[in-house]
Amino acid sequence: MSKLKVVSEKSLTNNSRIVGLLAQLEKINTESAESDTARYVTSKILHLAQSQEKTRREMTAKGSTGMEVLLSTLENTKDLQTTLNILSILVELVSAGGGRRASFLVAKGGSQILLQLLTNASKESPQNEELMVQIHSILAKIGPKDKKFGVKARINGALNITLNLVKQNLQNHRLVLPCLQLLRVYSANSVNSVSLGKNGVVELLFKIIGPFSKKNSGLMKVALDTLAALLKSKTNARRAVDRGYVQVLLTIYVDWHRHDNRHRNMLIRKGILQSLKSVTNIKLGRKAFIDANGMKILYNTSQECLAVRTLDPLVNTSSLIMRKCFPKNRLPLPTIKSSFHFQLPVIPVTGPVAQLYSLPPEVDDVVDESDDNDELDLEAENETENEDDVDQNFKNDDIETDINKLKPQQEPGRTIEELKMYEHLFPELVDDFQDYDLISKEPKPFVFEGKVRGPIVVPTAGEEASGNSGNLRKGVVRKVHVSPKGDEGDKKPTCMDLAKEDMKDNGRTSQQQPGDQNRTISSTQGLNNDIVKALDRITLQNLPSQTGPGFTAGGKKDYSLPLTVLTCTKACPHMAACGNVLFEGRTVQLGKLCCTGVETEDDEDTESTSSVEQTSVEVSDGPTLHDSDLYIEIVKNTKSVPEYSEVAYPDYFGHIPPPFKEPILERPYGVQRTKIAQDIERLIHQSDIIDRVVYDLDNPNYTIPEEGDILKFNSKFESGNLRKVIQIRKNEYDLILNSDINSNHYHQWFYFEVSGMRPGVAYRFNIINCEKSNSQFNYGMQPLMYSVQEALNARPWWIRVGTDICYYKNHFSRSSVAAGGQKGKSYYTITFTVNFPHKDDVCYFAYHYPYTYSTLQMHLQKLESAHNPQQIYFRKDVLCETLSGNTCPLVTITAMPESNYYEHICQFRNRPYVFLSARVHPGETNASWVMKGTLEYLMSNNPTAQSLRESYIFKIVPMLNPDGVINGNHRCSLSGEDLNRQWQSPNPDLHPTIYHAKGLLQYLAAVKHLPLGLQIGTRELEEMGAKFCVGLLRLKRLTSPLEYNLPSSLLDFENDLIESNCKVTSPTTYVLDEDEPRFLEEVDYSAESNDDLDTELAENAGDYEPSAQEEALSDSELSRTYLP
């Protein structure tokens, strides 16, 4: 207890002592006392500041006057020792307290007082070295905290004072070091940087910077930091290039790289790279770097550094410099406009489409020479203090984020007479239901095989439909046999034998028996039935009919799978002969089947029950909405600009979700720089590049290579997008996407076919003309792949595939014509590597789960034919025709009135409307899956869905942009415009779907039925539809009279859906706790940034250590799945 008391008394004594000394110093200033006293007092304060942190805190605490007293004394004293004592005190305060105390000193006017002191000290002869060292040291510490420091220094003439000190004392390292530190602070101001450059600071620094030496490494480091800051000025950078300093820097770097074997001077090596990074910000610097063989030098040195993790900052900075200096290339295209042309009925007067049509035919719109964004380089003399790089003239065209567009000026709407054209779309408002059989007290069974239970999975087509009934018959085993002649060396078609099965009435559903295998399909039941039906019933090319034996006595058929074309070879007693007679109108070709036919799961005994059971998959309880035959019929009536005649297998088969979770892909450390290094190798080792075109929409006469080890590509089917493929290396391909029709940009959506692969080979795909500056591909998202061979083996689902995935800026220039007039823009690359499991398979890749216009029409037809008309009011109308002549469907869903009595009809007509729309952007296919889930839920027998139908009338436009979806666009319709930006004043000739959807809403408003509205977005999956519907039910309960009661079980279900955190949403989709999980390698998206941010990121990349919390997590906890 006595010890504590002594400590307390001592602390009190010290506090009282510093307060007393400061009070004494203030009195000395006021009375102009003798300098000896001031010298004594300041020395005592210095002793306390050096020895006690508490004293330093006391002097810089809020409300303390200690700093003002010291600065006042510094400003007024003429005694050198007193000045040195106060400067030492300030150094102690600032050094120990970090940025906060430096800012405190600046706030008290310290910068101006110290700069004035520097000016006064420079006039003395001879100058006091200790005084100069102290002043420069403290100014170098507080200068970065003063936003106006550069201006103050220039006005006080401090720039030349410091520069002359360095020139006169090059051998005095103790004085030169703080002077260089202060020059670094001066250079943060662009005007100061230019002024110093004119006075020879660049040449001066190169007298200090030199080859490897163990002496004066600290001075070398500071000199390099100062040089890097000065070279950010383009004037100084040009001066350095003109004097050949780029070659000098590279030579010095190689020398330090070779001799710094123990990597003790990494900061010096990094400082040299930072100087190179600054000087290569200008075009002349990049050219000098290339001419000095800088690409090869930095590539070789960075590859040698890869083995040492602590040298990652050097590797990352070298990579950044090489990316920046990589010569800009043009896309290997004849034009950046779409390969497909659609003549618009009306040409807009203004806007990008008008500019597109007004371009002279001789203009090269792929790239233009002025797009380097560098220069005239005349800004040197005009550099100002405004260092804000943001383009003040940039126009924000995103209506969702542009505040000025959120509340546009109201424009006069259409008159009621004009809106009467939509009256026929609302028969429910006038129908008296006298002709309907409304006696439906008991809910009639829904014809779907199962009810929607819980969350709806995505993507789902339920059970695969057979060719005739649209329902799969469960519990029937079908086996696929590979003919003995179908070995690898034999190119004869393989045969599939279908086991005899019992046929059931099409209108009846299969019975579920406990304990049997009714819940499973054999390894080939679902898909092969469709294939067999397809082979039997449709002609996929316009070929002459062929005849052959019909049904055999054993109840089996023989079907052929040729190498490239799927052709019907057998006659059917219930169908016409193959050929054009099968279907009226346009014939449709199905994509290639895998060349080796169906691979069996068990080579020894393909008929064994065990092999069938091993590959069985569980059938979902959801309704069956897929019918391959119906899909083919609908495709024949779908109008595309390229007039597609092929059908992609995933769209023909349909697909079910995989019965396993798909964890988020762990990002390998350094994957981005590895891919960039491989791109740089293209420039360094050009002889290794094949550069062969293997697919080209712009040149229909291109020859497909005959070599067996070259992949074959195709995108000529609905929603497909792939324009050109170039083979770079043996197993590496550059892919170029097609821009939206009547546009010269919007490249992101892809959907294409690959065939001719070999298993066990790592194929790298680079999609090189993406435009988004960021992508979830950098955070674990993977492309989707659908394997036909896997589908034949009863695994008909899209799966996430690919390794070494990253998204980064590349060296292909974007033309200012396509970049809205902005120059210097580059494209981005999605790169991923795939190992295919089967030889000569046919695989499809997509940005996200495809959902075509024909799929929508098929689903709507299945819903319409399956619903109970006594229970559900379902109408499918045509809102309008699109530019290419496709229909835009409008769906109405509600409950039928209880009877045709007046009260029930009134209740029916007075139900509020809910308006839903989706898929305004074609590339956002997940919106269609959300809409599909909503439609299935509203049409189900679920009690909640029934309550919703009884409470609302749903008007749904499930696809606002059919033409864009059909033709593989990413964002636009055939007008070349983003339809989501046309709501304010849509043109009926160019934006018919938006024009009539808006007219639909205006009509409802005119007849006093203004609906609730929701446009479905793309960040949620299918269960969002169910949750939205239940949300409407809650809204109904909250806004209805008290007597409107719901069953308790229904409310429990509602609460479960709404209040749950939705941790599990579907077998393939789980919600992330965080959207962008941290990974070890920081992503550098920009190679042109002049900021220090990317360097800091590179520095920090190698220093990352997992936190204790992260280390405590198990692998399973760290493995998360993602939302696309």
Side-chain angles (χ1 to χ4, degrees):
M1 190 71 182
S2 60
K3 186 177 180 181
L4 290 175
K5 186 175 181 180
V6 171
V7 173
S8 178
E9 289 176 354
K10 185 178 180 181
S11 176
L12 179 61
T13 302
N14 289 337
N15 285 343
S16 301
R17 190 174 182 188
I18 189 64
V19 171
L21 288 172
L22 289 171
Q24 190 176 352
L25 185 61
E26 186 176 10
K27 185 177 180 181
I28 293 172
N29 292 337
T30 306
E31 298 177 356
S32 300
E34 295 181 2
S35 59
D36 291 344
T37 308
R39 193 180 307 147
Y40 172 77
V41 173
T42 53
S43 65
K44 291 294 183 181
I45 296 174
L46 175 60
H47 174 73
L48 290 173
Q50 289 175 337
S51 60
Q52 297 179 4
E53 168 61 22
K54 191 169 186 179
T55 299
R56 295 191 289 266
R57 287 200 306 268
E58 177 79 15
M59 295 181 67
T60 56
K62 186 175 182 181
S64 172
T65 60
M67 192 68 75
E68 288 94 330
V69 173
L70 290 175
L71 291 175
S72 175
T73 305
L74 184 65
E75 192 173 15
N76 297 322
T77 185
K78 305 297 182 183
D79 181 65
L80 176 61
Q81 188 58 48
T82 302
T83 301
L84 290 174
N85 287 343
I86 294 175
L87 289 175
S88 297
I89 294 170
L90 294 177
V91 169
E92 288 293 333
L93 294 176
V94 173
S95 300
R100 188 191 68 81
R101 291 180 183 175
S103 300
F104 184 78
L105 180 54
V106 169
K108 300 299 181 181
S111 299
Q112 186 62 45
I113 293 173
L114 290 168
L115 286 169
Q116 186 61 48
L117 180 62
L118 175 62
T119 304
N120 296 336
S122 67
K123 296 176 182 178
E124 299 179 1
S125 182
Q127 297 176 356
N128 186 284
E129 178 182 326
E130 181 65 26
L131 181 61
M132 286 299 184
V133 170
Q134 293 278 27
I135 294 174
H136 281 86
S137 295
I138 193 167
L139 282 174
K141 292 180 183 298
I142 70 171
K145 299 298 180 181
D146 189 348
K147 294 181 180 179
K148 296 294 183 182
F149 185 78
V151 178
K152 293 176 183 177
R154 188 167 64 251
I155 293 175
N156 281 275
L159 305 182
N160 289 332
I161 294 173
T162 304
L163 183 58
N164 290 331
L165 273 176
V166 177
K167 289 180 179 179
Q168 297 164 10
N169 300 275
L170 276 177
Q171 303 306 316
N172 187 347
H173 297 160
R174 182 173 179 271
L175 177 58
V176 170
L177 183 63
C179 290
L180 290 178
Q181 291 172 334
L182 188 55
L183 284 174
R184 168 71 178 85
V185 179
Y186 291 156
S187 303
N189 181 285
S190 59
V191 177
N192 290 351
S193 186
V194 172
S195 176
L196 289 169
K198 289 180 179 178
N199 290 325
V201 68
V202 176
E203 294 83 354
L204 180 63
L205 289 173
F206 273 96
K207 293 180 180 179
I208 302 174
I209 299 169
F212 176 79
S213 173
K214 294 183 179 181
K215 298 180 180 180
N216 305 320
S217 59
L219 185 65
M220 177 82 168
K221 169 66 174 63
V222 175
L224 286 168
D225 289 344
T226 306
L227 179 63
L230 286 163
L231 292 180
K232 288 183 178 180
S233 164
K234 293 183 179 180
T235 304
N236 294 337
R238 278 199 306 277
R239 184 174 284 107
V241 172
D242 293 341
R243 286 159 176 74
Y245 288 148
V246 174
Q247 177 70 64
V248 173
L249 285 171
L250 286 168
T251 303
I252 293 174
Y253 181 74
V254 172
D255 187 64
W256 279 87
H257 174 79
R258 289 175 178 171
H259 291 90
D260 188 23
N261 297 323
R262 297 187 178 182
H263 312 303
R264 293 177 176 176
N265 297 292
M266 190 189 74
L267 293 179
I268 291 178
R269 294 158 66 183
K270 185 183 175 187
I272 301 172
L273 291 176
Q274 289 293 341
S275 298
L276 284 169
K277 176 174 173 284
S278 296
V279 79
T280 51
N281 283 333
I282 65 170
K283 194 173 185 178
L284 287 174
R286 293 193 288 273
K287 183 177 184 301
F289 179 83
I290 295 293
D291 294 342
N293 203 22
M295 294 290 285
K296 190 170 184 178
I297 290 173
L298 288 194
Y299 175 80
N300 291 334
T301 55
S302 62
Q303 293 300 303
E304 292 172 7
C305 291
L306 287 176
V308 183
R309 184 70 172 268
T310 56
L311 298 181
D312 278 355
L314 302 182
V315 178
N316 294 338
T317 307
S318 298
S319 175
L320 182 66
I321 296 170
M322 289 186 286
R323 290 175 62 193
K324 184 164 45 176
C325 295
F326 201 114
K328 293 293 184 182
N329 293 344
R330 57 179 286 154
L331 282 176
L333 295 174
T335 174
I336 54 175
K337 295 192 290 286
S338 173
S339 298
F340 309 129
H341 176 70
F342 180 83
Q343 183 62 43
L344 295 176
V346 177
I347 307 300
V349 179
T350 59
V353 180
Q355 295 175 4
L356 202 67
Y357 273 82
S358 63
L359 282 177
E362 67 274 6
V363 170
D364 182 2
D365 63 354
V366 179
V367 70
D368 53 279
E369 294 300 325
S370 65
D371 278 358
D372 206 355
N373 199 27
D374 271 317
E375 284 149 76
L376 301 176
D377 275 343
L378 298 177
E379 82 295 335
E381 280 66 43
N382 300 323
E383 290 186 79
T384 65
E385 297 167 30
N386 181 14
E387 299 175 21
D388 186 4
D389 293 330
V390 178
D391 184 4
Q392 300 297 329
N393 297 321
F394 175 73
K395 295 175 65 177
N396 186 355
D397 290 328
D398 191 346
I399 197 170
E400 283 87 3
T401 57
D402 191 341
I403 301 300
N404 296 323
K405 294 183 179 180
L406 289 179
K407 295 182 179 179
Q409 295 181 354
Q410 294 292 331
E411 295 187 1
R414 285 179 266 178
T415 65
I416 188 64
E417 294 300 322
E418 294 176 301
L419 294 174
K420 283 186 176 179
M421 63 183 295
Y422 302 107
E423 191 173 18
H424 72 284
L425 299 176
F426 297 90
E428 64 271 12
L429 293 179
V430 296
D431 201 332
D432 57 8
F433 294 92
Q434 296 301 318
D435 298 331
Y436 289 79
D437 180 13
L438 299 179
I439 304 174
S440 180
K441 301 300 181 183
E442 296 292 332
K444 295 194 176 181
F446 210 37
V447 297
F448 288 145
E449 291 186 14
K451 295 186 292 185
V452 177
R453 297 188 181 96
I456 303 168
V457 296
V458 57
T460 175
E463 303 163 11
E464 298 303 318
S466 68
N468 285 329
S469 66
N471 296 325
L472 274 182
R473 285 162 295 278
K474 300 180 181 179
V476 181
V477 177
R478 295 172 181 165
K479 302 174 183 177
V480 177
H481 304 276
V482 178
S483 171
K485 298 180 180 180
D487 53 29
E488 288 189 9
D490 188 3
K491 295 301 180 182
K492 294 182 180 180
T494 60
C495 298
M496 296 192 300
D497 298 328
L498 180 63
K500 184 177 180 179
E501 63 174 272
D502 296 329
M503 304 300 291
K504 298 186 179 182
D505 186 359
N506 293 344
R508 301 180 59 188
T509 60
S510 59
Q511 300 296 319
Q512 301 284 337
Q513 298 293 335
D516 65 13
Q517 297 182 5
N518 287 344
R519 293 298 303 271
T520 61
I521 309 180
S522 74
S523 63
T524 55
Q525 175 189 351
L527 270 297
N528 291 328
N529 182 43
D530 281 337
I531 296 173
V532 171
K533 292 290 184 179
L535 292 170
D536 190 31
R537 299 177 58 192
I538 66 173
T539 292
L540 303 168
Q541 274 193 328
N542 189 3
L543 298 175
S545 61
Q546 300 178 8
T547 59
F551 284 99
T552 62
K556 298 183 178 180
K557 302 178 185 179
D558 293 332
Y559 302 96
S560 297
L561 298 178
L563 181 63
T564 58
V565 181
L566 198 59
T567 309
C568 175
T569 59
K570 303 300 175 184
C572 297
H574 57 285
M575 293 295 292
C578 293
N580 288 335
V581 186
L582 262 175
F583 294 121
E584 296 295 333
R586 182 163 55 93
T587 59
V588 178
Q589 174 181 339
L590 195 61
K592 294 178 292 186
L593 270 177
C594 38
C595 302
T596 56
V598 183
E599 293 184 4
T600 58
E601 298 292 320
D602 190 339
D603 294 331
E604 296 181 359
D605 184 10
T606 59
E607 299 184 13
S608 67
T609 305
S610 60
S611 66
V612 172
E613 292 176 348
Q614 290 174 359
T615 57
S616 64
V617 296
E618 185 175 345
V619 181
S620 66
D621 287 338
T624 300
L625 293 182
H626 192 84
D627 185 329
S628 299
D629 289 339
L630 178 59
Y631 185 85
I632 291 293
E633 283 284 0
I634 292 172
V635 167
K636 296 170 70 65
N637 296 317
T638 299
K639 301 173 183 176
S640 61
V641 173
E643 298 183 353
Y644 292 132
S645 61
E646 299 181 32
V647 175
Y649 266 98
D651 304 321
Y652 174 72
F653 287 156
H655 50 278
I656 61 177
F660 50 83
K661 303 173 186 177
E662 296 187 270
I664 194 167
L665 181 69
E666 181 180 354
R667 182 185 177 91
Y669 181 79
V671 60
Q672 176 176 302
R673 70 185 185 195
T674 301
K675 296 301 180 182
I676 292 170
Q678 293 173 3
D679 289 348
I680 292 170
E681 289 174 4
R682 298 190 190 188
L683 181 67
I684 299 174
H685 308 294
Q686 297 185 17
S687 59
D688 296 340
I689 303 304
I690 298 175
D691 197 28
R692 171 168 47 188
V693 177
V694 297
Y695 181 73
D696 192 357
L697 284 182
D698 296 296
N699 180 17
N701 298 322
Y702 78 96
T703 57
I704 301 177
E706 297 297 329
E707 290 89 337
D709 57 349
I710 297 179
L711 296 180
K712 312 299 188 298
F713 294 83
N714 181 35
S715 63
K716 299 175 183 177
F717 46 80
E718 187 175 348
S719 294
N721 190 316
L722 180 64
R723 180 172 186 167
K724 190 172 186 177
V725 181
I726 302 171
Q727 185 182 19
I728 300 300
R729 299 182 178 94
K730 182 178 180 181
N731 299 315
E732 181 179 354
Y733 297 84
D734 278 358
L735 282 62
I736 303 176
L737 304 180
N738 198 16
S739 59
D740 288 1
I741 294 177
N742 277 315
S743 173
N744 51 21
H745 55 304
Y746 297 122
H747 310 96
Q748 205 76 20
W749 166 257
F750 57 87
Y751 183 20
F752 56 89
E753 173 191 290
V754 180
S755 59
M757 65 285 293
R758 293 179 299 160
V761 176
Y763 292 94
R764 178 181 173 184
F765 300 96
N766 311 307
I767 302 176
I768 63 174
N769 65 330
C770 300
E771 295 172 356
K772 293 172 61 177
S773 59
N774 196 349
S775 172
Q776 286 297 315
F777 284 112
N778 273 328
Y779 301 96
M781 178 171 156
Q782 298 171 274
L784 283 160
M785 187 185 81
Y786 188 105
S787 164
V788 173
Q789 182 66 63
E790 289 292 296
L792 294 176
N793 289 323
R795 292 182 287 272
W797 44 63
W798 289 95
I799 58 172
R800 299 281 179 179
V801 298
T803 57
D804 295 339
I805 301 173
C806 62
Y807 186 96
Y808 59 91
K809 181 178 287 187
N810 59 35
H811 56 276
F812 291 101
S813 290
R814 288 184 64 190
S815 169
S816 59
V817 176
Q822 299 182 64
K823 298 180 180 180
K825 296 293 183 180
S826 297
Y827 287 105
Y828 289 78
T829 292
I830 300 173
T831 181
F832 56 94
T833 301
V834 177
N835 284 274
F836 296 98
H838 304 289
K839 181 181 180 181
D840 293 330
D841 196 0
V842 178
C843 295
Y844 293 81
F845 289 94
Y847 184 69
H848 191 53
Y849 302 101
Y851 190 102
T852 65
Y853 169 79
S854 299
T855 299
L856 170 68
Q857 294 285 37
M858 176 189 66
H859 287 167
L860 291 180
Q861 285 197 31
K862 297 291 286 184
L863 285 172
E864 184 176 23
S865 63
H867 83 283
N868 183 348
Q870 291 186 326
Q871 184 180 4
I872 302 176
Y873 182 95
F874 179 93
R875 280 180 56 88
K876 185 166 76 74
D877 297 297
V878 175
L879 175 65
C880 63
E881 280 199 353
T882 64
L883 289 176
S884 62
N886 294 292
T887 60
C888 179
L890 171 68
V891 176
T892 305
I893 299 175
T894 188
M896 294 293 288
E898 292 186 28
S899 71
N900 53 18
Y901 291 155
Y902 175 78
E903 293 82 0
H904 292 155
I905 298 299
C906 284
Q907 188 276 339
F908 178 89
R909 294 178 181 176
N910 288 322
R911 293 173 188 169
Y913 276 86
V914 175
F915 181 79
L916 305 177
S917 69
R919 204 68 183 280
V920 69
H921 294 149
E924 297 170 352
T925 59
N926 32 3
S928 285
W929 290 105
V930 175
M931 181 58 76
K932 177 178 180 288
T934 302
L935 290 169
E936 291 181 11
Y937 189 81
L938 289 175
M939 294 293 289
S940 70
N941 284 338
N942 191 288
T944 311
Q946 177 64 26
S947 297
L948 282 166
R949 293 193 297 266
E950 293 171 356
S951 302
Y952 298 97
I953 300 176
F954 291 87
K955 284 288 182 182
I956 303 173
V957 183
M959 190 172 286
L960 274 168
N961 193 349
D963 287 344
V965 172
I966 293 168
N967 293 284
N969 286 4
H970 175 65
R971 196 169 183 86
C972 300
S973 68
L974 294 186
S975 68
E977 297 169 297
D978 184 346
L979 291 183
N980 215 30
R981 304 294 181 269
Q982 312 303 324
W983 287 99
Q984 188 173 352
S985 53
N987 185 305
D989 296 318
L990 295 176
H991 326 116
T993 59
I994 302 298
Y995 179 84
H996 292 292
K998 183 176 181 179
L1000 199 77
L1001 296 173
Q1002 290 175 329
Y1003 173 80
L1004 282 173
V1007 297
K1008 311 303 181 184
H1009 279 278
L1010 188 63
L1012 303 169
L1014 174 73
Q1015 177 168 303
I1016 289 183
T1018 60
R1019 297 188 184 275
E1020 301 81 7
L1021 295 176
E1022 270 193 46
E1023 56 273 14
M1024 172 187 166
K1027 295 185 75 171
F1028 167 72
C1029 294
V1030 177
L1032 287 178
L1033 194 61
R1034 168 169 284 187
L1035 176 65
K1036 179 67 176 179
R1037 191 180 76 251
L1038 293 177
T1039 58
S1040 297
L1042 295 177
E1043 59 269 14
Y1044 182 82
N1045 295 320
L1046 292 175
S1048 58
S1049 59
L1050 191 60
L1051 294 178
D1052 292 339
F1053 173 70
E1054 171 192 351
N1055 292 329
D1056 289 343
L1057 270 180
I1058 294 180
E1059 296 176 3
S1060 67
N1061 293 327
C1062 202
K1063 292 298 180 184
V1064 180
T1065 57
S1066 82
T1068 58
T1069 306
Y1070 286 70
V1071 177
L1072 279 179
D1073 290 337
E1074 51 183 3
D1075 289 335
E1076 299 182 356
R1078 185 175 183 181
F1079 47 81
L1080 296 182
E1081 180 195 21
E1082 297 288 355
V1083 179
D1084 168 40
Y1085 297 111
S1086 171
E1088 281 73 37
S1089 174
N1090 294 338
D1091 301 330
D1092 292 330
L1093 177 61
D1094 45 15
T1095 305
E1096 294 170 5
L1097 290 178
E1099 288 182 21
N1100 297 333
D1103 300 330
Y1104 169 71
E1105 294 182 1
S1107 64
Q1109 182 179 5
E1110 289 173 322
E1111 289 177 343
L1113 293 177
S1114 65
D1115 292 340
S1116 61
E1117 290 170 319
L1118 288 174
S1119 176
R1120 301 187 184 279
T1121 52
Y1122 55 88
L1123 288 172

